[in-house]
Amino acid sequence: EKPQVRACQIRENTMAGVALACVLGPVAYSLGSPTAASARRGAPAMQYSLNNYPLPGPLSPVYNQALVKLSRSDETTTGGLFLAAEEKEKPREGVVVEAGPGRVHPDTGATLPTAVKSGDLVLLGEFAGEKVDYNGASHQFVSDDGILGTFKGGVVQADTFCPLRDRLLVRLAEAQSETSSGIALATGDDEAATQGEVVAAGPGRMTSAGEVVPVGISAGEHVLFGKYAGADVSLPGGKFKVVHASDCLAKW
């Protein structure tokens, strides 16, 4: 009799388990795992804004425009030093958020591609572009003509700087305080250096047909340029200036 009782109990337990599975199965399927449920709900949608106005989606620069997120404020340097008013318009760094496809030359119909791409760390020229507030952060729209160059590997150093187009990065020569015979020279503090050693040269100027004309000046050469040419650049290792090769008067 005992074996028969056990068999009956086993059958009853099995039938109860099947019934419970039939009830809970659909419920478990509808709920799914916590991960699956989260995926169905979806992550919060990215909210875009321009100058505090909501946007339906991200901005897309046109032509040869680039949207650059500035890497430092107008008032402080990357090291936290306060900038004087006259320093606020000097070139600064930023990361390209998005870049336009390029522009079509009106005479030849050739497409001139934008010289920078998304993710590039760039150095902006003086007074270049239009500043905007994008997604709550300081950005700037600038054409690639207003970008002096990029930094390889995202490191701000003279030896990682890559000038755009026909630009040159020149390490300025220190002004001589005396002649070779020992006669002291009177030099004004506001006298700008107009010569120096080329640290890096760009690939060249782009023609209306979209072809690149190489720069006739190489790194390691010295150049003389106009007094008001180029833009002063603050980089570790000395005083520098970015000038167009066409602004140079001589080389040696």
Side-chain angles (χ1 to χ4, degrees):
E1 292 180 357
K2 290 183 179 180
Q4 293 178 356
V5 172
R6 285 200 196 93
C8 291
Q9 290 177 344
I10 292 173
R11 283 196 297 269
E12 291 175 357
N13 292 340
T14 302
M15 293 177 65
V18 172
L20 183 61
C22 292
V23 173
L24 296 180
V27 176
Y29 177 79
S30 64
L31 292 177
S33 66
T35 303
S38 299
R40 284 195 296 273
R41 287 195 300 269
M46 175 68 180
Q47 300 296 321
Y48 297 94
S49 64
L50 176 64
N51 296 332
N52 295 324
Y53 287 94
L55 298 176
L59 290 173
S60 297
V62 298
Y63 307 118
N64 64 332
Q65 291 290 320
L67 176 61
V68 179
K69 183 177 182 180
L70 302 179
S71 59
R72 60 184 182 187
S73 68
D74 288 339
E75 287 76 25
T76 59
T77 66
T78 51
L81 299 178
F82 180 79
L83 289 175
E86 62 270 20
E87 296 292 332
K88 291 183 182 180
E89 296 300 337
K90 293 296 179 69
R92 66 199 114 175
E93 303 91 16
V95 176
V96 177
V97 176
E98 195 64 50
R103 62 187 179 90
V104 176
H105 196 279
D107 297 330
T108 64
T111 299
L112 310 181
T114 304
V116 295
K117 64 183 184 302
S118 178
D120 284 345
L121 178 62
V122 298
L123 186 64
L124 305 181
E126 296 175 282
F127 313 109
E130 182 72 19
K131 186 178 293 183
V132 297
D133 184 285
Y134 182 53
N135 297 337
S138 183
H139 289 67
Q140 194 154 318
F141 274 105
V142 59
S143 71
D144 59 357
D145 293 330
I147 299 175
L148 304 182
T150 64
F151 292 98
K152 291 185 295 186
V155 179
V156 180
Q157 297 286 347
D159 56 0
T160 63
F161 184 73
C162 301
L164 294 187
R165 308 297 192 199
D166 67 332
R167 291 183 173 90
L168 309 170
L169 177 64
V170 180
R171 179 182 284 109
L172 300 178
E174 295 184 4
Q176 296 295 321
S177 58
E178 60 181 31
T179 65
S180 56
S181 59
I183 300 176
L185 296 174
T187 57
D189 293 336
D190 58 347
E191 187 173 345
T194 57
Q195 66 184 47
E197 179 185 359
V198 177
V199 176
R205 180 180 59 86
M206 185 171 289
T207 68
S208 59
E211 300 175 350
V212 177
V213 179
V215 176
I217 302 172
S218 304
E221 294 184 314
H222 289 74
V223 292
L224 175 70
F225 47 85
K227 182 177 181 180
Y228 300 105
D232 293 320
V233 176
S234 296
L235 292 172
K239 295 182 179 179
F240 299 86
K241 204 164 198 177
V242 176
V243 300
H244 287 279
S246 57
D247 291 330
C248 294
L249 308 176
K251 70 173 186 176
W252 62 94

